[in-house]
Amino acid sequence: MNCFNYIKTQYTLIIFGDTGKPTIIEKVLSRVIVDTLGKVADDICITVILDDDGMGYSELKKVISDKLRSISKDKSKFTSNQFPTLEEHNDSFILIPLKGRGNVEIRLSTVPESLEKQVAKKCIEVKYPKNLKILERGPHYALDFLAMEYYDGNKEKLIRETSALLKDEVWVTDVVERATS
């Protein structure tokens, strides 16, 4: 994640990262908050989508809550007389700057297990059920195998085509609802 040219008040903000939860939570989320909180006139809403990796929603929510609490009290990011307040409401967290404008709301959504597993499982289930056993070797192996076998090695094409098949999954509709509400 080398480019942070994302502060655009006229455009929707989407941050993508496939470097895992620690990078997203520790680096990207922190940077977005510090660079935007109270510095843009509009309130910003960010949907954070993480693989649950068997961790469970409540545990991931606690990790995000702890990180946001830490960011809001970090003297290297804010001066002590400008610490934002953190409010938690159901599935969202709202950081409110001392000035009272330019709030940042973080909404948490999760992918059961991992996106790789969901894509591989759905691809096999719908298109290639005879390959069910390859899931036993893990989702990354399954994606590599399916891409080589059916998509001329193009994993991106496999993921793009299969992701359309996931649109009715409960977790997908939840993500879409959170991102559009």
Side-chain angles (χ1 to χ4, degrees):
M1 182 70 67
N2 295 326
C3 180
F4 287 98
N5 297 324
Y6 53 74
I7 302 175
K8 306 265 189 220
T9 57
Q10 302 300 315
Y11 304 100
T12 301
L13 170 63
I14 297 175
I15 299 172
F16 170 78
D18 62 355
T19 54
K21 278 192 286 289
T23 299
I24 297 297
I25 295 169
E26 293 297 323
K27 293 182 180 176
V28 177
L29 185 59
S30 179
R31 175 95 184 257
V32 170
I33 290 167
V34 171
D35 286 356
T36 59
L37 184 65
K39 295 178 182 165
V40 291
D42 298 326
D43 292 344
I44 296 173
C45 183
I46 302 166
T47 301
V48 175
I49 307 164
L50 301 172
D51 292 344
D52 77 13
D53 293 326
M55 193 178 229
Y57 186 84
S58 59
E59 195 171 335
L60 279 172
K61 185 177 174 186
K62 182 176 177 350
V63 168
I64 296 291
S65 177
D66 291 348
K67 182 60 185 173
L68 294 175
R69 222 170 280 299
S70 169
I71 292 169
S72 69
K73 301 296 180 210
D74 188 334
K75 291 179 182 173
S76 71
K77 295 175 181 18
F78 303 101
T79 59
S80 59
N81 63 345
Q82 293 183 328
F83 285 145
T85 57
L86 175 64
E87 294 180 3
E88 294 187 34
H89 302 278
N90 297 321
D91 298 328
S92 70
F93 308 91
I94 302 171
L95 284 161
I96 304 165
L98 191 61
K99 298 175 200 166
R101 54 173 259 210
N103 297 348
V104 174
E105 179 180 359
I106 292 37
R107 296 179 183 168
L108 176 62
S109 288
T110 59
V111 178
E113 298 177 72
S114 72
L115 183 59
E116 295 86 356
K117 182 158 188 175
Q118 294 300 323
V119 169
K121 192 167 87 175
K122 185 57 83 173
C123 184
I124 291 167
E125 175 186 306
V126 173
K127 295 181 174 184
Y128 312 109
K130 67 180 175 133
N131 294 81
L132 188 59
K133 283 217 170 270
I134 65 168
L135 276 174
E136 293 171 4
R137 295 185 70 182
H140 294 281
Y141 174 83
L143 287 176
D144 289 340
F145 173 86
L146 292 166
M148 291 306 291
E149 191 74 17
Y150 302 106
Y151 292 86
D152 297 321
N154 190 337
K155 200 182 321 184
E156 181 180 338
K157 184 177 180 185
L158 160 69
I159 292 169
R160 285 185 185 280
E161 287 183 13
T162 303
S163 63
L165 301 172
L166 295 168
K167 70 179 181 190
D168 294 324
E169 298 290 324
V170 173
W171 65 270
V172 173
T173 57
D174 177 59
V175 167
V176 170
E177 277 181 28
R178 289 173 197 250
T180 58
S181 65

